[in-house]
Amino acid sequence: MPLYRQIVENDCPSRLLAQQQINRIELLLNQRKNHSRVFTYEYTKDTPIGFSYGKYNMHKVGGFFGMSVNKNVFDMMRNDCTVGDMPEVNVNFGWTIKIASPVWVFFGPGATVKCYYGDYKPIGLKDKIYPNKDGFPNDPDNKLVVGSD
C-alpha cells in the first residue's frame, strides 16, 4: 500500500493502475473488518464430538453449519455391535443475524438421527428379532443373544 501511494503522489505514468490497487486493497480491508469466520469444537454430555463453522457479517446475514456425533458412531463403524448401542448424529445449518454487539441470533433447521443396528436371535430358533423403538428386543426370559449381523 505505501508503494502504491508513492506512485500516485509522484505522478508516475502507472498512477491509474496504482490507484486501482489502492482501492482494491482498501475494499478488502473493509470487508475483513466487517466479516469473520469461526470454526469451533463443541462438547456436550450426549454428543461429545462436535464441530461448527460460521460466517458472521457485521452488516448482513451470515450462515453456519454444525455437526456432532457421539462415541457410539465410531463403535458402529468398527462393527462392535452390542445390545443397546445408540449412535447419534446431529446436523444443523442456518443463518446468523447481528442484533446488537455482541448478541447474535442463530436460526435454521436441524436434525438428530439415532439409529439401532444389529439383529437378535432367540437361542435355538432361526428367526431374527429386530430392536423395538427403545433399542432393545422384547426378551422377558433373557433368551436372546446378539446376532452376527
Side-chain angles (χ1 to χ4, degrees):
M1 186 90 135
L3 296 176
Y4 287 128
R5 289 203 176 146
Q6 282 183 355
I7 292 172
V8 171
E9 290 169 2
N10 292 331
D11 204 21
C12 293
S14 60
R15 74 175 184 268
L16 290 176
L17 291 174
Q19 186 61 50
Q20 289 176 350
Q21 291 297 331
I22 290 172
N23 293 342
R24 187 180 64 83
I25 291 170
E26 287 176 350
L27 180 66
L28 289 173
L29 291 174
N30 285 334
Q31 286 177 347
R32 187 178 294 167
K33 280 188 222 173
N34 295 324
H35 188 85
S36 62
R37 296 169 194 219
V38 177
F39 183 77
T40 59
Y41 173 79
E42 300 172 358
Y43 176 85
T44 62
K45 180 182 174 187
D46 295 332
T47 54
I49 302 166
F51 297 97
S52 182
Y53 175 77
K55 293 181 182 179
Y56 302 94
N57 195 327
M58 299 300 279
H59 301 293
K60 297 179 184 175
V61 175
F64 74 92
F65 173 79
M67 180 176 162
S68 60
V69 298
N70 66 359
K71 68 177 189 67
N72 294 339
V73 170
F74 300 106
D75 293 339
M76 181 179 69
M77 285 190 249
R78 286 193 300 263
N79 203 16
D80 294 331
C81 179
T82 59
V83 176
D85 273 354
M86 193 167 43
E88 179 178 336
V89 177
N90 300 311
V91 177
N92 54 45
F93 66 94
W95 299 270
T96 59
I97 298 176
K98 181 181 176 186
I99 300 297
S101 190
V103 179
W104 293 82
V105 174
F106 296 79
F107 68 94
T112 297
V113 177
K114 292 184 180 185
C115 62
Y116 307 102
Y117 59 96
D119 63 343
Y120 304 90
K121 298 179 186 176
I123 297 174
L125 297 176
K126 294 182 180 180
D127 296 332
K128 293 180 180 179
I129 298 175
Y130 290 92
N132 62 16
K133 66 179 182 175
D134 296 321
F136 297 98
N138 295 326
D139 184 23
D141 301 328
N142 292 324
K143 292 186 178 182
L144 297 180
V145 295
V146 176
S148 62
D149 294 335

